[in-house]
Amino acid sequence: MRCRKPQQTAFFNFFGSEAREILNDLLEKYAADGELRLVAVRKHLPDVLKVPPISHRGNVAEIIRKYGGADQLRNGVNQLQSRLYGA
């Protein structure tokens, strides 16, 4: 499955600036490995939030608040994955 980087679209604009920065951190972190593993991110999201550079944005509870709740954060990561691997 080929990954493509999503463009700055309404998807990113939906989130506040801090939440957008966290999504960008996720992209950069896993793109640096040569492969995005957002499936693993979704499974271990709390652990991923504890690793730099994402952890520099706050603790897990603070990051979740930036999205308006855990469900919204998970939804954002799910949507990001859909845009990366979508048609």
Side-chain angles (χ1 to χ4, degrees):
M1 183 179 294
R2 185 168 171 85
C3 172
R4 61 184 177 82
K5 187 172 181 178
Q7 299 176 6
Q8 297 292 335
T9 62
F11 167 72
F12 282 99
N13 294 333
F14 175 79
F15 298 98
S17 63
E18 291 179 315
R20 257 193 321 267
E21 291 172 5
I22 293 166
L23 286 174
N24 281 322
D25 286 349
L26 282 169
L27 283 172
E28 289 177 18
K29 179 171 178 39
Y30 290 94
D33 291 340
E35 178 182 334
L36 288 173
R37 297 184 185 123
L38 288 177
V39 172
V41 169
R42 285 188 352 209
K43 286 179 142 181
H44 306 288
L45 192 54
D47 294 332
V48 172
L49 300 178
K50 297 175 186 174
V51 178
I54 300 158
S55 63
H56 295 241
R57 304 216 181 261
N59 64 38
V60 173
E62 292 168 335
I63 291 171
I64 288 171
R65 275 194 299 275
K66 292 175 185 184
Y67 282 86
D71 289 340
Q72 291 86 342
L73 173 57
R74 277 189 222 99
N75 186 42
V77 172
N78 290 343
Q79 288 183 37
L80 179 61
Q81 182 180 22
S82 294
R83 282 166 171 62
L84 285 169
Y85 295 104

